[in-house]
Amino acid sequence: MSKILLHSSFLPMGSMAIVVLVLVVLVVLHPCVFVDAKTTYIVRMKHHALPSEYPTHHHWYSAHLQSLSSSATSDSILYAYTSAYNGFAASLNPEEAQLLRQSDSILGVYEDSVYNLHTTRTPGFLGLNSDFGFWEGHNIQDLHQASHDVIIGVIDTGIWPESMSFDDTGMPEIPSRWRGECESGLDFHPSLCNKKLIGARSFSKGYQMAYNDGYFGNPRENQSPRDQDGHGTHTASTAAGSHVANASLLGYARGIARGMAPQARVAAYKTCWSTGCFGSDILAGMDRAISDGVDVLSLSLGGGSAPYYQDTIAIGAFAAMENGVFVSCSAGNSGPNLASLANVAPWIMTVGAGTLDRDFPAYVQLGNGKRFTGVSLYSGQGMNKPVGLVYNEGSNTSSNMCLPGSLDPELIRGKVVVCDRGINARAEKGGVVRDAGGFGMILANTAANGEKLVADSHLLPAVAVGRITGDMIRHYVRSVSKPTAVLSFGGTVMNVRPSPVVAAFSSRGPNLVTPQILKPDVIGPGVNILAAWSESIGPTGLDSDKRKTQFNIMSGTSMSCPHISGLAALMKAAHPEWSPSAIKSALMTTAYTQDNTNSSLRDAAGGAFSNPWGHGAGHVDPHKALSPGLIYDISIDDYIAFLCSLDYGMDHVRAIVKQSNVSCSRKFADPGQLNYPTFSVVFGGKRVVQYTREVTNVGAAGSVYEVATTAPLAVNVMVKPSRLVFTKVGEKKMYTVTFVTSGDAAQTARYGFGSIVWSNDLHEVRSPVAFTWTKL
């Protein structure tokens, strides 16, 4: 089975290696587990072929399944989807799945995938008004009132309903159109919901089917919406948490915590469990959220690249888009590697991560006088005198990694231990050092991590440093007879420059599924984000961490995604008539690409300038997004023409699109013809690529725009017309852009970047352009 990750750097680096090891052990100890065992399959039906004798599709699915296999029963069906998907999820053996594939009523049968999980100062950093959670200078009271009617659905690990971030003081009655509910569970009573948290459900049939023997079960988990992990509470409160004064993580980042849309409603759909998020459960959560009536769906999780008709999230998101629901997903935490993105469907808002202008510095002072800066969220006191420093001193060859049982207490007692990052969780390494009698830890990156830094709430004095600094510290330990170190902690530092910076972990383009669509779409705050937390687990997530805190600081595209989800909710309140594509366009074309030093955005991975494969259209600017001037809208028919241009068979197109009469009578000659707000030009063997775009005037009547372009020297860009004149609001205009590359460009360049900008005195509508000549 494949894995879908919750996009949070809270997960240990190298966790996949551990998963693989556990699976190997299971095969050895229980070989029967994987032989002829039933597993979950997601089945796409020809929905409109429902025979008249069946009262519901569920009855038809059950009867059809039992007619093909004597071992199938009505209990074999785990979910019968209605809103997000035409089909069902069922527990089948491989033979039964093959029989279904041969049926004329079936469009596709796919084995369930497992997706894994991939935030106080953020509203101020984004320019949001501190009193109302919206843009300064606009009709705040009307927008404040309107956002009460916007509902954000969060697909994640559940919710901690007692958090003050979900307090409903002053909120009006729940919108009458809401069809959701709060489920009861062993540790969750429906009365825990209120006018803020208006829905809470859990979906675990796929999870239970896969792990019904209990090998991966977590004894703390109950099949209820309660969040035992913390991730879901964090993301939900980031999107729409209420105002909470004096919030902090053990004193760090103290201030007022609030979500992007603090007056919006929240509905939690728990689809992620201790071993990950199963596609069948995710699809069930999305299916229910659409029928419940959410306006925005936020998914801080994802997996690898796959064709859209095999991508559970892409399929569910398409149905959401068809129903007017905006879908925001995390881009993944596999950066700075190129082509490492998840959730790249063009109807999804794919969100990368950037830094805030806030940091949590910590310092390492070596015995040779050199002082280095790292990061830490350790809440205790620093060291007042030097202590011994050791590296790779243990009972086995894994002591440099500080794996459990690897350190020799006789060699490290009372000393600071240098631990290489990787394999086990960052905070767990500190626990290993503490348990062996060590006094402190320097968590040093290796080449695999580069300069990626994440602040953690360590259990002992600890500082995380990048690879370059780590190499110098390791060299110092090896080169002197009695190395020493002093660790100290700088607390919370504001107004950091430069910021934002593209996070090193944020996944990068190009888009492997559809190279003609530029991804990610934007970046948002995703490093060291303070938000609400589950009190069932300590801030490190370790079983040994018995600390309780109402807020936690986390990093990952999991954290940037709900920022954009919350902003989309505010956009929906401001412009209820706008489509999801229009809201997406406004957020993209108004994004900025300069930091607070007026320099181009930089990449934390190496300090060089970033590019659109790292930051997409740029960092979101909600103030400007409210009034973008022009938007690039995309209809459902446009998306169908896009899918047909990918040379998918009709069964594959129907696996994504729910319409009964869908056809490919209209298709683009090139997928890049989709009316997307950005451009990705793939020359391949061609010298000329031409695209047409349509923009809609959402600014003032009589608006006039002039175009300006930038491109690499090897590319000539021509835009016709070069001037757009709009006589009225809502008027649409088309333009054609022609990209011509020089004959020898493919020999001298692999990729490059540019932009197309339509502007007047009030608006700048910017579209980044990526150029590629050879396959990467």
Side-chain angles (χ1 to χ4, degrees):
M1 290 180 292
S2 60
K3 275 269 181 187
I4 295 182
L5 300 173
L6 288 175
H7 289 159
S8 165
S9 60
F10 184 69
L11 290 173
M13 295 300 295
S15 60
M16 285 304 297
I18 296 174
V19 171
V20 171
L21 177 60
V22 172
L23 289 175
V24 169
V25 171
L26 283 177
V27 172
V28 172
L29 296 179
H30 301 276
C32 61
V33 170
F34 297 99
V35 179
D36 293 328
K38 289 199 173 187
T39 188
T40 302
Y41 290 84
I42 298 176
V43 182
R44 181 72 169 191
M45 297 286 286
K46 293 180 179 177
H47 196 66
H48 299 275
L50 171 67
S52 59
E53 62 265 28
Y54 296 108
T56 67
H57 283 88
H58 189 285
H59 287 86
W60 178 39
Y61 300 157
S62 180
H64 190 74
L65 180 59
Q66 292 179 65
S67 71
L68 295 175
S69 173
S70 58
S71 63
T73 68
S74 58
D75 292 336
S76 297
I77 293 184
L78 306 180
Y79 297 109
Y81 306 114
T82 57
S83 299
Y85 194 75
N86 291 334
F88 60 93
S91 169
L92 307 170
N93 61 39
E95 292 75 19
E96 291 169 333
Q98 188 57 36
L99 286 172
L100 279 175
R101 291 188 179 99
Q102 297 167 7
S103 170
D104 291 338
S105 300
I106 304 297
L107 291 173
V109 180
Y110 308 103
E111 189 171 351
D112 203 1
S113 298
V114 187
Y115 295 72
N116 296 305
L117 299 171
H118 273 181
T119 132
T120 52
R121 172 142 165 84
T122 336
F125 182 71
L126 290 174
L128 296 177
N129 180 280
S130 60
D131 294 326
F132 298 100
F134 213 73
W135 297 273
E136 298 168 359
H138 295 282
N139 192 339
I140 296 298
Q141 293 290 1
D142 288 348
L143 295 171
H144 175 70
Q145 182 64 37
S147 64
H148 286 147
D149 293 328
V150 181
I151 303 165
I152 303 175
V154 181
I155 308 288
D156 214 294
T157 64
I159 202 82
W160 189 262
E162 294 87 354
S163 170
M164 289 299 295
S165 291
F166 308 116
D167 178 62
D168 67 348
T169 301
M171 296 198 73
E173 291 301 315
I174 296 170
S176 58
R177 64 182 175 86
W178 176 242
R179 298 179 294 274
E181 65 178 41
C182 281
E183 295 179 355
S184 62
L186 186 63
D187 54 5
F188 198 100
H189 192 274
S191 63
L192 291 170
C193 288
N194 54 28
K195 296 175 185 177
K196 176 67 174 180
L197 176 63
I198 65 172
R201 300 179 185 268
S202 68
F203 304 86
S204 61
K205 292 179 180 178
Y207 164 69
Q208 293 182 70
M209 175 60 209
Y211 298 126
N212 56 6
D213 335 49
Y215 293 124
F216 286 81
N218 186 334
R220 292 184 308 163
E221 287 188 322
N222 293 311
Q223 269 66 61
S224 86
R226 182 167 292 280
D227 183 11
Q228 303 287 354
D229 178 273
H231 191 278
T233 301
H234 198 281
T235 56
S237 62
T238 299
S242 302
H243 293 238
V244 181
N246 202 33
S248 74
L249 168 62
L250 306 174
Y252 281 97
R254 188 176 299 279
I256 296 176
R258 62 186 180 277
M260 297 298 96
Q263 298 301 320
R265 319 288 182 148
V266 174
Y269 298 85
K270 183 175 180 177
T271 65
C272 298
W273 305 86
S274 57
T275 56
C277 323
F278 282 79
S280 55
D281 295 333
I282 295 170
L283 195 56
M286 299 178 79
D287 188 76
R288 180 64 72 172
I290 295 169
S291 62
D292 283 348
V294 303
D295 300 293
V296 176
L297 268 176
S298 187
L299 293 90
S300 289
L301 50 93
S305 296
Y308 301 128
Y309 58 84
Q310 292 182 347
D311 185 337
T312 302
I313 294 175
I315 293 171
F318 194 95
M321 177 274 299
E322 289 180 294
N323 284 273
V325 179
F326 181 96
V327 181
S328 176
C329 293
S330 48
N333 295 339
S334 299
N337 297 327
L338 293 179
S340 54
L341 292 164
N343 301 318
V344 296
W347 48 89
I348 290 173
M349 184 68 138
T350 309
V351 186
T355 63
L356 294 173
D357 60 346
R358 177 184 68 194
D359 206 358
F360 308 105
Y363 308 98
V364 178
Q365 178 87 36
L366 299 181
N368 61 7
K370 292 185 177 179
R371 189 171 189 256
F372 301 104
T373 300
V375 296
S376 182
L377 292 170
Y378 175 65
S379 60
Q381 297 296 315
M383 299 162 54
N384 54 21
K385 64 179 181 180
V387 302
L389 182 65
V390 296
Y391 174 63
N392 206 18
E393 295 284 358
S395 57
N396 57 53
T397 56
S398 63
S399 60
N400 65 306
M401 305 298 298
C402 300
L403 300 180
S406 67
L407 300 180
D408 186 341
E410 295 299 321
L411 298 175
I412 71 162
R413 185 172 291 115
K415 297 178 180 179
V416 172
V417 181
V418 179
C419 297
D420 291 344
R421 182 174 168 183
I423 306 299
N424 57 335
R426 299 181 300 271
E428 182 185 50
K429 295 176 185 290
V432 172
V433 172
R434 184 191 62 177
D435 293 344
F439 186 81
M441 176 181 71
I442 298 172
L443 180 62
N445 282 5
T446 63
N449 311 111
E451 300 307 308
K452 299 186 205 177
L453 287 182
V454 179
D456 292 302
S457 179
H458 291 284
L459 298 167
L460 80 174
V463 179
V465 298
R467 180 191 63 83
I468 296 173
T469 296
D471 286 346
M472 288 189 282
I473 294 173
R474 283 182 281 254
H475 175 74
Y476 165 72
V477 175
R478 294 188 184 106
S479 61
V480 300
S481 59
K482 293 183 178 181
T484 63
V486 175
L487 308 183
S488 58
F489 305 93
T492 304
V493 174
M494 308 299 295
N495 301 314
V496 173
R497 298 163 70 89
S499 64
V501 174
V502 177
F505 59 75
S506 188
S507 289
R508 313 301 164 93
N511 178 350
L512 291 183
V513 181
T514 314
Q516 296 87 350
I517 300 295
L518 178 59
K519 291 283 182 169
D521 291 314
V522 293
I523 60 171
V527 178
N528 295 332
I529 304 301
L530 180 75
W533 191 244
S534 168
E535 293 185 44
S536 71
I537 192 169
T540 63
L542 300 175
D543 289 338
S544 59
D545 188 355
K546 304 305 180 183
R547 297 172 295 178
K548 302 299 179 186
T549 178
Q550 296 180 351
F551 291 85
N552 199 5
I553 293 174
M554 296 180 70
S555 297
T557 55
S558 274
M559 282 65 253
S560 54
C561 169
H563 280 89
I564 275 58
S565 305
L567 295 180
L570 295 179
M571 296 288 292
K572 184 76 173 178
H575 301 286
E577 76 283 3
W578 282 10
S579 69
S581 296
I583 293 173
K584 181 177 176 181
S585 171
L587 288 166
M588 291 172 67
T589 61
T590 58
Y592 60 85
T593 56
Q594 288 193 313
D595 60 29
N596 58 1
T597 69
N598 292 320
S599 171
S600 296
L601 293 177
R602 293 189 175 273
D603 190 330
F609 291 125
S610 178
N611 62 52
W613 284 347
H615 60 245
H619 192 287
V620 288
D621 185 336
H623 182 90
K624 290 183 178 179
L626 176 66
S627 180
L630 303 175
I631 56 171
Y632 294 79
D633 211 350
I634 304 175
S635 69
I636 296 172
D637 288 342
D638 291 335
Y639 282 123
I640 294 172
F642 163 80
L643 290 170
C644 292
S645 74
L646 301 178
D647 293 326
Y648 286 176
M650 282 310 303
D651 282 355
H652 289 156
V653 174
R654 293 190 183 103
I656 302 166
V657 183
K658 291 195 67 178
Q659 296 178 12
S660 60
N661 58 347
V662 63
S663 73
C664 282
S665 58
R666 173 179 174 244
K667 62 185 291 187
F668 298 133
D670 179 327
Q673 287 286 5
L674 184 68
N675 200 44
Y676 213 65
T678 59
F679 295 83
S680 181
V681 179
V682 181
F683 285 113
K686 299 176 291 187
R687 286 195 58 197
V688 179
V689 173
Q690 187 175 84
Y691 291 135
T692 298
R693 292 289 194 267
E694 180 183 75
V695 289
T696 304
N697 179 34
V698 294
S703 295
V704 179
Y705 289 83
E706 306 280 348
V707 74
T709 65
T710 63
L713 292 176
V715 179
N716 183 35
V717 181
M718 295 169 287
V719 180
K720 293 183 178 181
S722 60
R723 190 169 186 260
L724 297 176
V725 180
F726 297 90
T727 59
K728 58 185 180 180
V729 178
E731 186 177 0
K732 300 177 184 294
K733 293 284 185 180
M734 300 181 74
Y735 70 89
T736 298
V737 55
T738 305
F739 306 97
V740 182
T741 181
S742 60
D744 60 349
Q747 281 70 50
T748 60
R750 297 182 68 201
Y751 58 89
F753 303 94
S755 64
I756 296 173
V757 182
W758 293 96
S759 62
N760 57 24
D761 291 341
L762 296 177
H763 302 287
E764 186 175 278
V765 185
R766 184 179 181 279
S767 296
V769 185
F771 302 94
T772 55
W773 283 266
T774 59
K775 187 175 181 180
L776 295 176

